Amino acid sequence: MDVGRPRAGALGNAVSNPTRLEIPDGSPFGTDNLPYGVFSTPGSAPRIGVRVGESVVDLAATLGDDVFASPSLNAFMAQGKPRWDEVRERVGALVAGEVPAAAVHAAAAVTLHLPFEVADYVDFYASEHHAANVGRILRPDAEPLLPNWKHLPVGYHGRSSTVVVSGTEITRPCGQKARPDGPVFGPTERLDLEVELGFVVGTGSRMGTRLATADFAEHVFGVVLVNDWSARDIQAWEYQPLGPHLGKSFATSISPWVVPLAALERARVPGPVQDPAVLPYLRDDRDRGLDIDFALRWNGQLVSYPAYRDMYWSPAQMLAHLTAAGAACSTGDLYASGTVSGPTPGERGALIELTWGGRDPVDVAGRPSTFLEDGDEVVISATAPGTGGGRIGLGEVAGRIAAARQ
């Protein structure tokens, strides 16, 4: 199969019944967004589509290119930035005109799948507000930030096999928890969520090479929303001295739509001043921040609205640090920002912060709540300025908690 080239006659029959896409005013999925995902319809195999308004457009059927008949974005992403730009231009022209009716599906009627094969997963800790809050909660008599925090983007290596698409049920994990007379094994009692932004690597790098901050846009294809579920009691007992393990590795949820970096050009804003100055390999002189507003809903109730613009470490700096020792990155790698939090209580992106370690319950539909209970549902959504002057949507990432398996 010659991927990347149209199939002869692929559009011939479909064009005979064209339709125009209707995009409601103010839609977060207008033509300045055009996120990619993998979808299926009853009786059909998963393939790549683009979200436009309340519709999903089948790209294999409209562009006549077998790379979009794949159940994953990986092969397309591996073709590189010139190809991404070319396809985005073609898709923009396509959806502005007439589209084969058979290639258009109602967004509410399709099944969405994990949009790419996750090759590797790293999670960072890039919010100063979050890191400082957690430091004050866990180490109240010490400096909130550890000595290395303002010198490098702190992160940990997660498990790619437990990255799941939005809507996947999250089973309460079990592990060791500390007790005064010794550890016990059982379900976590402090199940948490984390509002995060994830970055999807489109083209990789060779082992032994380093990527610079200026290489970011050539290698990162787009962004997804991330909920990095956390078992705080399991994490507290096991994380010293080597960091998170079972308290983090049981599930990470991502949104089904990958928003291309090109759709976020108007979202670029200056990042916070970095003091002390970072080492040369981490210098990033461009606008480092992203003006993205999140909303966190717990059982349907809005409990927090974190903003990404205040994140201390930029995604370009995270990528540069990730490869600084010579580690290769690959198509399909996912790295996430860590919890997005702001300076006020209403902008905290994790329950450990919102409830101050469980000390201050949040009222959720009349129930005083600290950490997640079985049956609870968490939904994270986000928007950003679009190139057309309105706001574009990054979709949502949702998950419901199921009881631990015995």
Side-chain angles (χ1 to χ4, degrees), residues 23 77-78 91 154 167 171 178 202 222 230 264 277 280-281 300-301 319 341 345 349 363:
I23 304 174
M77 294 192 300
V91 171
V154 173
T171 300
S230 302
L264 295 173
Y281 80 98
Q301 180 174 319
L319 183 64
S341 287
D363 185 283

Side-chain angles (χ1 to χ4, degrees), residues 248-299:
K248 288 279 196 177
S249 66
F250 58 96
T252 299
S253 299
I254 67 170
S255 53
W257 297 109
V258 183
V259 175
L261 282 188
L264 295 173
E265 279 303 310
R266 278 204 65 240
R268 289 190 172 276
V269 292
V273 174
Q274 294 183 319
D275 184 21
V278 298
L279 294 177
Y281 80 98
L282 289 171
R283 289 177 188 160
D284 187 2
D285 297 328
R286 297 159 303 162
D287 286 343
R288 294 183 292 105
L290 289 169
D291 183 15
I292 296 175
D293 291 330
F294 288 83
L296 168 61
R297 287 177 169 81
W298 185 357
N299 290 341

